[in-house]
Amino acid sequence: PRAGGPSLDLAIHNVVLTLGEFKVEGTIFAGLVNLLVSIFKSQLQGLVATAIKDNVASAANTYLNDYFASMSLTVALPLPKPYDFMSADFTLCFAEVGPGHLTFGVVAAAVDATQTQPTNFPRATRALMYSAAPPELHLSPPKELEDTCLGLGFSSWSPNSVFWLLFQRNLLHYTLNPRDVPDKANIPLNMQTARRIVRQEHLPRTAAAGMAMPFVIDISAHSPPEVNFHSGLVEVVAEVKMGLRWDGDAETFLSFIAPLRALGQVAITQGENGTETAEASIVNASGTPVTILDGDQSVILDGLNEFVDALAHSTLMPLVNGLVNGGFPLPQAAGIQWTHSKVIVEEGDAAALTSFEIDVHQFEEFINNIIG
């Protein structure tokens, strides 16, 4: 690759050219003429084949490489505000030809194309991106690839680049209100629950401080969340800061760090109309042991740990599952429809495998629009 873009080095090893028949009859010189024609024909075939081979290779290497050199491999993602700053960087790192497959290595990171910074990747446009070094991938395609046309293997570095950008933009925060907590969770966000986690002498003593006095929880990422792949499961770990404050107050009465950990599953389902949907769900969540900020002595630590674990399992987990309920349809564009897709999660790596069907007319129109 040149500057992260594809570079073509086309070598045509052989061109088979067949010329039409030319035969003379009815003259005493027919044998001589036909012999000369045969010699000329064999020489002409060789000359024409060589010319075709050299000129086609030269034209392809010259014109296509000029086009590839100016090709942008950073693709804007169709996301709503405030996430519309994010793009996907598919800068090429390597290309390999193996038995029965062609492998491309790409950066595969989320980037902020609206900001720039120095980077180790050889790019003309250096968008703000995750600075951690990516790990090595298993380069051999999984055996399941034999049943599909296209495979994408990636490590946790790619989704971690998304969380890193969201953290840099201060977009990983949420205020949990009493209405967000299901009744069956038995942890209402009010004075009744506060008395289990804060010593009574530190609670409000006003007449308004009844058992139903509500509080809210401000939740924000203390550091960028990280994704880890395990056999069949996706793990997300994050240190989050939680601040409890009485509803309507600006000051918190309790702040702490909770190590949230969630285990989830990812799958692709096929619909009746041929569309495919990526689905995800959290199957377990926890958030202890907590770390109290500023040495607060008002906390009942055992009660707080029980509260946070119950909150993670019975409130945050259903809340996230509700947000992703129904999944996300796989995008279809340029006349391409994905089929027989699947996700494989292994220890350290994951792979998405798919086949596709192409509407030739739509794809041709898409290419014509790109070329102009």
Side-chain angles (χ1 to χ4, degrees), residues 1-284:
R2 293 187 303 176
S7 177
L8 181 67
D9 185 10
L10 178 64
I12 301 176
H13 294 286
N14 190 28
V15 173
V16 178
L17 181 68
T18 301
L19 298 180
E21 292 295 326
F22 181 81
K23 191 174 183 179
V24 177
E25 295 180 344
T27 172
I28 58 173
F29 298 107
L32 178 60
V33 172
N34 287 332
L35 176 61
L36 293 174
V37 167
S38 176
I39 295 173
F40 173 76
K41 177 180 171 182
S42 64
Q43 292 295 321
L44 182 61
Q45 283 185 163
L47 291 172
V48 173
T50 300
I52 291 176
K53 181 175 67 173
D54 292 343
N55 283 280
V56 169
S58 176
N61 290 334
T62 300
Y63 295 113
L64 288 180
N65 277 329
D66 288 343
Y67 173 72
F68 289 153
S70 61
M71 178 187 294
S72 174
L73 295 175
T74 299
V75 181
L77 298 176
L79 298 173
K81 292 182 178 297
Y83 311 105
D84 55 344
F85 67 91
M86 201 175 298
S87 299
D89 190 339
F90 294 108
T91 300
L92 283 174
C93 299
F94 66 85
E96 292 184 355
V97 179
H101 69 272
L102 178 62
T103 301
F104 292 98
V106 298
V107 172
V111 299
D112 183 353
T114 67
Q115 301 187 49
T116 59
Q117 69 168 11
T119 177
N120 293 327
F121 292 103
R123 290 190 54 77
T125 302
R126 301 171 183 269
L128 179 67
M129 66 181 297
Y130 191 34
S131 57
E136 291 188 12
L137 282 174
H138 301 124
L139 298 182
S140 58
K143 62 179 184 295
E144 291 86 355
L145 185 59
E146 297 175 0
D147 300 325
T148 59
C149 296
L150 180 66
L152 174 65
F154 54 95
S155 71
S156 58
W157 187 82
S158 293
N160 284 342
S161 70
V162 176
F163 282 125
W164 185 85
L165 277 183
L166 294 175
F167 180 79
Q168 299 300 315
R169 284 275 188 148
N170 194 30
L171 292 173
L172 297 176
H173 54 80
Y174 184 79
T175 297
L176 194 69
N177 292 284
R179 63 179 176 272
D180 294 323
V181 180
D183 293 337
K184 62 181 180 181
N186 197 29
I187 48 170
L189 302 189
N190 58 26
M191 179 66 76
Q192 178 183 349
T193 298
R195 295 180 66 175
R196 299 187 217 164
I197 59 179
V198 177
R199 301 187 190 282
Q200 190 167 349
E201 60 268 25
H202 295 277
L203 293 172
R205 296 179 180 274
T206 63
M211 298 300 285
M213 182 178 178
F215 65 84
V216 299
I217 306 177
D218 295 321
I219 304 173
S220 60
H222 189 62
S223 58
E226 293 186 357
V227 174
N228 299 303
F229 293 134
H230 303 290
S231 183
L233 293 171
V234 179
E235 177 191 47
V236 180
V237 292
E239 282 193 336
V240 299
K241 180 181 179 181
M242 293 189 175
L244 280 58
R245 57 184 174 86
W246 301 111
D247 194 12
D249 288 354
E251 298 294 326
T252 60
F253 64 85
L254 176 61
S255 296
F256 54 91
I257 301 295
L260 284 185
R261 177 177 179 266
L263 288 175
Q265 295 176 324
V266 181
I268 296 178
T269 59
Q270 282 76 34
E272 295 181 357
N273 58 353
T275 60
E276 299 190 323
T277 303
E279 298 185 347
S281 63
I282 298 177
V283 297
N284 193 19

Side-chain angles (χ1 to χ4, degrees), residues 315-338:
T315 300
L316 297 181
M317 186 171 78
L319 185 65
V320 174
N321 285 340
L323 292 174
V324 299
N325 183 38
F328 306 93
L330 298 186
Q332 299 181 22
I336 300 175
Q337 179 172 337
W338 309 109

